[in-house]
Amino acid sequence: MSGEAPRVAAARVLDAVLHHGRSLKAELARALPALPDPRDRALVEAICFAALRQTARADAALAAWMPRPPGRRDGDLRALLHAGFAQLDPLGLPPHAAVAETVDAARGIGRAHQAKLVNALLRRAQREGLPTPAAADAWPGWLRERVRADWPDDADAIFEASARPAGTWLRVNRRRSGRDDYLARLQAAGIEATPDPVLADALRLPASIAVGALPGFADGDVSVQDGAAQAVADALDPPAGARVLDACAAPGGKSAHLLERDRTLRLLALDVDPLRLARVRDTWRRLGVGEGVDPGAAARVADAADPAAWWDGDPFDAILVDAPCSATGIVRRQPDVLLHRRAADVEALVALQARLLDAAWTMLRPGGVLVYATCSILRAENHAQVEAFLARTADAVAEPLPGCFGRAPASGDARHGRQRLPGDGGMDGFFLARLAKRAD
């Protein structure tokens, strides 16, 4: 296959994300299967992520170099130019191939009459380099100010870390092998990895890698899961045989981790969306856990915020509320968050999180434990959400988590949760709080 096809695919994905409000993950899921060569699929992913991490740089170049930069009617052209710039910097592809194939892609998207323009702009980028605005400029103004207000001493580091590619973390399936045994398999395959000193199942890789290159991935020997997400199992730490609810389970990594550790758990995984719940079952199936394997495990389409519609009244010993959130802690993995998130979204999410917490609490037995988690860095969704819950819930007791789970809030009260900021320990931005229900 020529190099034109992946450039055309990347331009179309970027056009959908930049100009039509589409999800990067969803657009890649649609576009990649049409490319039979895995090298082309990897190239499309790399171009799209690199381009979306530097939209401010590319737009600054177009504004400086063109009397009339491409507008919405020229969205596909703008997307193609973003793709071309990303190939030169930061991907560093051979300039001749990057420019020539992107110019050919202009014809592939119906912009043959502007091929010379594409060539001229990419050649200029090659000669002069792109402008280098501050990493904070990629964030919408309202969100940038919220981050500065919540983390005044760390905001610039957050913006910088969010602009860099995320690292790769693996979770070894302890039902299949020990971490040391799997590490030896990686080393035999020429893949460098380092065990995490705190997370018992975690290995950290210095570079990204295609899952197909991981020994035993298809057989469920290992999963790709950030270290911050792996810490959830340690925070919840349900006793053997416990009845556990994963209230917002998709895509299934956290519930799978719990089952990998303890096959005696009676675990119910919920998601309100049938398609997302199907992903949970797919995850379980690959890893050899869950329905059909563990008699106590089940997955169900249901709204955790409306227990009256489905709950049988039997309380849970442990509940995980991995709540829908702004995803501001994982911008480096989902750069389109900065394009799509609105201030009103955060207000709606905070209200939904409160409903989920209140509903889950009614299903928790006295003496039980609830872990509240988000991949947000915003105080309103995290520490303030927990403080508000404690204020209105008389039988709730906040249990402090140790420092290995992240930073304490600005108040210094670690009972209200632990926060990781993007890049802390090489991990994603993530929040955890552990709440116990009084038994008296």
Side-chain angles (χ1 to χ4, degrees):
M1 179 176 289
S2 76
E4 175 187 338
R7 274 82 177 180
V8 169
R12 288 174 174 161
V13 169
L14 288 171
D15 185 25
V17 174
L18 288 168
H19 308 120
H20 302 285
R22 307 283 175 77
S23 158
L24 174 61
K25 186 183 296 186
E27 289 301 308
L28 286 173
R30 181 191 61 79
L32 295 183
L35 299 169
D37 191 328
R39 293 169 298 181
D40 288 342
R41 296 196 293 271
L43 177 60
V44 170
E45 280 196 285
I47 290 173
C48 289
F49 275 93
L52 289 172
R53 289 190 182 107
Q54 63 170 22
T55 55
R57 293 185 72 201
D59 284 339
L62 295 177
W65 298 343
M66 298 180 69
R68 294 181 59 187
R72 285 200 168 271
R73 292 185 178 180
D74 299 311
D76 54 352
L77 175 64
R78 176 175 177 248
L80 180 66
L81 290 167
H82 278 239
F85 292 154
Q87 292 170 66
L88 298 171
D89 180 10
L91 295 180
L93 300 184
H96 175 75
V99 173
E101 299 292 358
T102 303
V103 170
D104 287 344
R107 302 181 180 95
I109 65 170
R111 294 277 178 170
H113 60 293
Q114 292 172 306
K116 289 183 179 180
L117 172 65
V118 172
N119 181 70
L121 289 168
L122 295 185
R123 293 295 181 192
R124 185 165 182 178
Q126 181 187 349
R127 290 192 309 271
E128 301 179 16
L130 297 179
T132 54
D137 292 349
W139 292 60
W142 69 269
L143 185 53
R144 183 168 60 243
E145 293 311 309
R146 290 192 74 154
V147 173
R148 290 198 183 281
D150 286 353
W151 300 100
D153 297 330
D154 301 285
D156 288 335
I158 289 170
F159 301 139
E160 292 287 348
S162 297
R164 293 191 290 267
T168 300
W169 289 77
L170 304 181
R171 187 189 79 236
V172 178
N173 184 349
R174 62 172 66 180
R175 288 203 189 184
R176 302 293 178 89
S177 70
R179 182 174 67 172
D180 290 345
D181 291 338
Y182 190 79
L183 178 60
R185 292 172 66 187
L186 289 177
Q187 292 170 340
I191 300 171
E192 182 182 351
T194 304
D196 186 82
V198 174
L199 301 170
D201 303 307
L203 294 169
R204 185 176 176 187
L205 275 60
S208 61
I209 188 171
V211 294
L214 294 171
F217 180 85
D219 298 324
D221 295 349
V222 69
S223 296
V224 176
Q225 186 182 43
D226 190 80
Q230 292 190 46
V232 169
D234 291 328
L236 190 63
D237 193 24
R243 189 163 194 252
V244 179
L245 174 66
D246 186 352
C248 309
K254 297 178 183 69
S255 58
H257 192 193
L258 290 167
L259 290 169
E260 289 168 5
R261 289 184 163 198
D262 185 357
R263 63 179 68 242
T264 71
L265 293 179
R266 295 170 292 147
L267 187 146
L268 175 62
L270 298 186
D271 204 275
V272 70
D273 184 336
L275 293 178
R276 287 173 56 82
L277 193 76
R279 292 184 62 195
V280 173
R281 290 192 168 110
D282 288 343
T283 298
W284 285 4
R285 193 175 300 113
R286 182 181 68 82
L287 296 169
V289 302
E291 294 172 325
V293 178
D294 302 313
R300 181 174 182 176
V301 177
D303 183 357
D306 184 20
W310 59 270
W311 182 44
D312 62 6
D314 188 7
F316 293 92
D317 303 302
I319 297 177
L320 170 61
V321 178
D322 184 16
C325 71
S326 63
T328 43
I330 56 171
V331 167
R332 59 187 193 156
R333 296 190 190 277
Q334 297 182 19
D336 51 324
V337 165
L338 299 182
L339 300 172
H340 301 154
R341 191 65 67 224
R342 302 290 181 267
D345 298 339
V346 177
E347 295 175 7
L349 286 164
V350 168
L352 173 59
Q353 293 155 5
R355 291 200 303 274
L356 284 165
L357 277 169
D358 289 343
W361 200 252
T362 67
M363 297 184 282
L364 185 67
R365 70 164 176 81
V369 170
L370 182 150
V371 165
Y372 173 70
T374 77
C375 55
S376 170
I377 58 172
L378 299 183
R379 177 177 172 80
E381 298 181 273
N382 296 339
H383 297 118
Q385 183 72 266
V386 171
E387 289 168 358
F389 175 77
L390 292 170
R392 67 176 179 267
T393 311
D395 57 351
V397 179
E399 295 190 343
L401 290 167
C404 62
F405 287 95
R407 309 171 183 220
S411 66
D413 191 343
R415 293 177 304 168
H416 295 165
R418 291 284 184 175
Q419 176 77 63
R420 287 194 183 277
L421 299 180
D424 283 357
M427 300 182 197
D428 289 339
F430 206 85
F431 176 80
L432 283 169
R434 180 179 163 99
L435 307 168
K437 194 169 191 177
R438 296 184 190 275
D440 50 331

